[in-house]
Amino acid sequence: MSLSTAIPASSSDASYGSPMALPKSRSSVSLKSTATSMENDRTSASPTLCSLERAEGIECNAGNSREILFLDLSPADLDISEALGTRAPETIECVRINRCRMTGEFFASTVDSLCQFDLPNLHTVDISQNHVGGAKAAHALHKLLTHAPAIRFLYLGWNQLALADLKYLATFPSHTFKISYLDLRSNPLSTASQKRKGKNGSLAKTAISNNVSCAKWIDGLVDSLPDLTHVLMAQASIDDQTLSAFMCALTRPQSHVEYIGLEWVGLGSRLATLNTIMNGIAPLPSDTLARPLHLNLASNDLGDSGAEIISHSSARLTSITLACNFITERGTGFLAKWLLESGLTSLDLSDNYFGDQGIVSLLDLATVRKSPDTFATQLRSLGLNSCCLSDVSLRMLGEALEYKWAPLETLRILRNSRISPGAKIAV
C-alpha cells in the first residue's frame, strides 16, 4: 500500500492531501499549502519585521473594552485617568502604549499614574516602539510589576533598553515575578556602557556593572523570572559576553524557557560566540523529564561553518530554526550527522538554496538503510520552503520515509519553483 500526496501547481491553490496513515512509519505527513499556513510561513521567515496590527474603527478605550490603548500620541497626551473613563480598574487586562515617543522619564510618570489604580487582572503590558530606557525606566518597571503582580506578557521591543536596565528586578532575591513572555527585540541590550540621548540631545553614559559580575547578576535576573517561557531578542544589539551569559542562564536545567528568538543578531560573524552558546545549553540530567526548547537562529548568515559548529555541539534541543543562513549541501551534511544523535524533532531549513544536492546530504540514505527497523532520526517537522528543490528531492524524501528516516508528520515545501505541477511524494 502506498500513499501519494500531490503538490499543487501554485501556492495559491486550495489545501490538498488530508493526513493519512503511513504504512511503514505509522505516521502522517502534512504538506502545508493553505493560505493560512503560507501566511504563518512568511511570518516565521521574517518574524522581526511584523508591524503591530490594529483594527481600524475599533475604539479600544470604549466603555466595554478591557484594554487601555495609546497609539501615535505625544507623551504629554498620555492620560491614564481619561483613558480609563468610567470603567472599573479591575476590569483592565491589557495596557498598550505604542509609537508615542515615550522616554524613560515619561514611562516612569505613566507608571505612577497606573499605580494609582488597583489592577489585579492586568496581564499584558506592551510599550513597544518608544524610546524607553535607563535607570528611571528600570525602577518604573519594577514598580509596575510589583503593583500588578498578575502581569505575564511584557512587550518591550524597539526601545532603548539595555539588559542591565532590568537588573533592578533582581534587587530583592526573595521577590519573583510571573512574567512568562518577554519581548526584548531590537534593543541595545549590551551591558557595556550605553550611550543615550538626553533631553537636550547630548549623549549621556549609563553606568554598568563590570564584566566580572555580569554572569552573576544575569543569573539573578533570570531567577527573578521563574515562570519565563518565551524570550525574544531578534535584531537586538548585544555583545558576546552578555549574550553568552544570558543564554547560559536561560537554558539551565531548572529553567522553564521553551523558546528563544535570536534572529538577525549577526552570529555568522561571531562563530566563537555561537559555539559558546550551543555548548552552554546544559543537557538535562537523565532522571529529569525533557523540556521542549526551540532555538530560532534565522537570518544570522551562519553559513556552513555555523552549521558545523551546531552539529558538533553538545546542545540538546527539541527544535531549531536555521532559515535564511546561506547553508549549502556541505552544511546539510554536517546537520545530517547531528540529527542521528541529537533527538531533534523539528528542523526548519527554509530559504537556504542548497537544492537537490542538499537533500542528498541531509538524508544520508546510505546510513538510513543500515537500520530499517528503527527510525534513524526523531524529526516530526521539516521546513524546506524556498530551497530550490526539484522532483528529485521529492523522490528522495519518499524513499527516506520508506526506510524510516524519520517519523515525519509535517513537511513544508512551498515556493520551490523547480517542483513540477502535479509532482507527488510516495511513501
Side-chain angles (χ1 to χ4, degrees):
M1 175 181 176
S2 64
L3 166 69
S4 297
T5 307
I7 310 301
S10 69
S11 59
S12 61
D13 289 345
S15 60
Y16 55 94
S18 59
M20 289 184 278
L22 298 182
K24 296 191 176 182
S25 64
R26 294 185 182 179
S27 181
S28 60
V29 177
S30 170
L31 302 185
K32 299 291 188 67
S33 71
T34 62
T36 301
S37 62
M38 287 173 58
E39 184 60 33
N40 290 338
D41 285 321
R42 281 194 291 267
T43 301
S44 63
S46 56
T48 64
L49 305 181
C50 299
S51 61
L52 295 171
E53 297 181 358
R54 303 293 178 220
E56 295 183 3
I58 297 179
E59 180 54 65
C60 290
N61 293 332
N64 60 348
S65 173
R66 297 184 179 184
E67 176 181 14
I68 292 178
L69 171 66
F70 297 103
L71 186 63
D72 291 317
L73 296 178
S74 167
D77 295 330
L78 302 180
D79 191 325
I80 298 297
S81 297
E82 181 180 350
L84 185 62
T86 59
R87 290 176 291 174
E90 58 269 19
T91 65
I92 299 302
E93 299 179 354
C94 176
V95 173
R96 301 185 190 274
I97 306 174
N98 305 132
R99 300 196 299 269
C100 290
R101 304 179 298 282
M102 182 171 59
T103 62
E105 184 176 354
F106 274 108
F107 176 59
S109 177
T110 302
V111 168
D112 288 341
S113 298
L114 280 170
C115 289
Q116 294 177 11
F117 303 96
D118 186 20
L119 302 168
N121 296 311
L122 180 62
H123 58 67
T124 300
V125 172
D126 181 354
I127 58 168
S128 302
Q129 297 177 298
N130 284 288
H131 305 296
V132 175
K136 288 186 177 181
H139 285 263
L141 189 57
H142 181 274
K143 181 178 181 179
L144 178 59
L145 293 177
T146 303
H147 178 75
I151 294 176
R152 301 193 308 275
F153 305 97
L154 191 58
Y155 297 83
L156 305 174
W158 292 274
N159 276 290
Q160 297 296 318
L161 285 164
L163 196 61
D165 290 339
L166 305 180
K167 182 180 177 182
Y168 191 67
L169 298 181
T171 302
F172 308 101
S174 60
H175 195 168
T176 59
F177 304 95
K178 295 183 179 179
I179 302 300
S180 62
Y181 189 100
L182 181 61
D183 183 356
L184 296 170
R185 288 178 291 179
S186 196
N187 274 288
L189 298 179
S190 294
T191 56
S193 296
Q194 302 286 330
K195 293 183 177 181
R196 293 192 178 87
K197 291 185 178 181
K199 285 185 176 180
N200 56 1
S202 62
L203 294 176
K205 289 186 178 181
T206 303
I208 305 296
S209 301
N210 58 43
N211 293 339
V212 177
S213 62
C214 177
K216 184 177 180 180
W217 69 257
I218 286 180
D219 283 346
L221 172 61
V222 175
D223 286 340
S224 70
L225 305 171
D227 297 329
L228 195 60
T229 60
H230 290 70
V231 181
L232 282 65
M233 293 183 280
Q235 290 184 315
S237 174
I238 184 168
D239 64 89
D240 295 340
Q241 182 192 26
T242 305
L243 178 56
S244 298
F246 196 29
M247 285 294 296
C248 183
L250 291 173
T251 57
R252 292 175 298 180
Q254 64 268 35
S255 169
H256 294 96
V257 173
E258 299 177 1
Y259 177 91
I260 301 175
L262 285 175
E263 313 94 307
W264 297 91
V265 295
L267 287 174
S269 60
R270 300 189 285 172
L271 292 179
T273 301
L274 175 66
N275 184 56
T276 301
I277 290 173
M278 295 303 298
N279 286 293
I281 299 177
L284 294 175
S286 57
D287 60 345
T288 305
L289 292 176
R291 70 169 184 273
L293 178 58
H294 176 79
L295 183 60
N296 192 336
L297 297 177
S299 304
N300 271 287
D301 297 344
L302 297 180
D304 294 335
S305 296
E308 182 177 14
I309 288 174
I310 292 171
S311 67
H312 290 163
S313 73
S314 59
R316 297 287 292 182
L317 301 169
T318 306
S319 174
I320 191 168
T321 296
L322 296 173
C324 305
N325 271 302
F326 299 100
I327 296 173
T328 70
E329 64 273 13
R330 179 170 173 264
T332 60
F334 292 130
L335 295 174
K337 296 180 177 64
W338 185 53
L339 287 175
L340 297 176
E341 56 190 32
S342 66
L344 199 73
T345 61
S346 178
L347 173 65
D348 190 353
L349 290 171
S350 297
D351 297 285
N352 290 290
Y353 307 120
F354 41 70
D356 296 331
Q357 190 57 47
I359 296 298
V360 172
S361 300
L362 181 67
L363 297 178
D364 192 12
L365 289 179
T367 302
V368 172
R369 292 191 186 101
K370 293 179 181 178
S371 55
D373 296 330
T374 60
F375 286 114
T377 73
Q378 300 302 313
L379 273 186
R380 296 185 178 277
S381 176
L382 179 61
L384 295 172
N385 296 332
S386 300
C387 289
C388 293
L389 306 184
S390 73
D391 298 350
V392 174
S393 291
L394 298 187
R395 288 195 295 271
M396 288 188 291
L397 283 166
E399 182 180 354
L401 293 176
E402 182 178 355
Y403 281 98
K404 290 192 174 181
W405 175 68
L408 207 62
E409 297 174 353
T410 302
L411 174 63
R412 296 182 297 279
I413 52 174
L414 297 174
R415 301 186 296 278
N416 283 288
S417 58
R418 296 174 60 208
I419 296 178
S420 59
K424 300 178 180 181
I425 295 181
V427 292

